[in-house]
Amino acid sequence: MKINLEDLNNKIENQDYIQDLETVKYGDISKSKSKIKPYAEKMIKEVVAAFKHDSLVQTQLAVTGQRPVTFALETNIINLPYSNYKKIVNFFEEGQEYPLNVYFETRSDYVNVSHFRIDQLATEEEVEKDADKVVDQLVEAIIEKLTVVREYEAPEKKTAKKETKKSKTAKKEIKKKK
């Protein structure tokens, strides 16, 4: 499926796309490929359905627990989330059609400093040619990001010590006394 910039922006702005949100507890999927796979299969099936109906899709898997994370698949012409759709115009020309790709997004306070990561998962052709392979890629991507979230350590905040006039004066007086 190819889409022009105007149609893409209108569909995203009007939320004219297939949407789904599934919530699961972290303990229900843990690190097990076999537990994650049914969710990945459902997400890819929704992507396949969207391509068949010339539609966009946003399907999400929210994982609750001590370190919550939301995974999403979105079809788009660029690796920007739908929430930033107004910026897409900066990268493409009006009047031309562009192919859609499937992007894998990770949102969590424990993924990186920006709390967001987006990667291209597949092209439309790859999904249509071998959806099972893309499911396996998605399972691997989810496991990888769950590991990142689980092992994430926030960078230490730099605390700049600002010396006040009083502390500078006090230091000078102590030096004089010595």
Side-chain angles (χ1 to χ4, degrees):
M1 170 181 169
K2 288 190 173 190
I3 193 166
N4 67 48
L5 200 53
E6 183 179 352
D7 289 345
L8 177 71
N9 283 334
N10 287 338
K11 285 178 181 277
I12 296 172
E13 185 172 346
N14 297 316
Q15 294 187 351
D16 179 16
Y17 49 85
I18 297 171
Q19 298 179 59
D20 187 36
L21 170 63
E22 179 110 16
T23 303
V24 63
K25 292 179 183 175
Y26 180 79
D28 293 341
I29 60 168
S30 63
K31 297 177 254 180
S32 169
K33 287 183 182 183
S34 63
K35 291 180 180 179
I36 294 170
K37 191 166 185 169
Y39 296 102
E41 287 172 334
K42 182 180 180 204
M43 294 172 84
I44 296 300
K45 281 181 185 175
E46 290 171 348
V47 169
V48 169
F51 282 137
K52 284 183 181 175
H53 294 99
D54 288 333
S55 181
L56 300 177
V57 65
Q58 178 190 62
T59 179
Q60 300 178 70
L61 176 64
V63 181
T64 62
Q66 190 172 11
R67 290 189 167 205
V69 58
T70 299
F71 301 109
L73 293 182
E74 289 182 348
T75 51
N76 205 336
I77 61 175
I78 189 171
N79 62 340
L80 282 175
Y82 285 176
S83 56
N84 292 346
Y85 77 95
K86 289 183 180 180
K87 294 179 182 180
I88 296 172
V89 72
N90 297 328
F91 303 98
F92 295 92
E93 294 180 28
E94 288 285 342
Q96 291 189 27
E97 291 198 331
Y98 300 95
L100 289 173
N101 294 307
V102 182
Y103 293 95
F104 173 64
E105 301 173 3
T106 306
R107 290 181 192 276
S108 174
D109 291 346
Y110 308 98
V111 73
N112 57 31
V113 176
S114 69
H115 311 294
F116 181 76
R117 173 73 191 196
I118 186 168
D119 299 288
Q120 183 175 327
L121 181 68
T123 64
E124 179 180 5
E125 291 173 10
E126 291 168 337
V127 171
E128 290 174 351
K129 182 179 176 187
D130 193 351
D132 291 338
K133 181 179 177 183
V134 179
V135 167
D136 292 340
Q137 291 171 319
L138 179 57
V139 169
E140 290 298 325
I142 290 172
I143 288 173
E144 177 187 321
K145 294 300 185 270
L146 284 173
T147 302
V148 168
V149 166
R150 196 172 45 256
E151 296 174 357
Y152 181 76
E153 291 182 28
E156 291 183 29
K157 294 184 179 180
K158 295 178 184 176
T159 54
K161 291 184 179 180
K162 293 185 178 179
E163 291 189 87
T164 63
K165 279 190 173 183
K166 281 186 179 180
S167 67
K168 285 181 181 178
T169 305
K171 284 181 183 178
K172 285 180 184 177
E173 287 180 21
I174 292 171
K175 285 183 181 177
K176 285 181 184 177
K177 289 180 182 178
K178 289 183 179 179

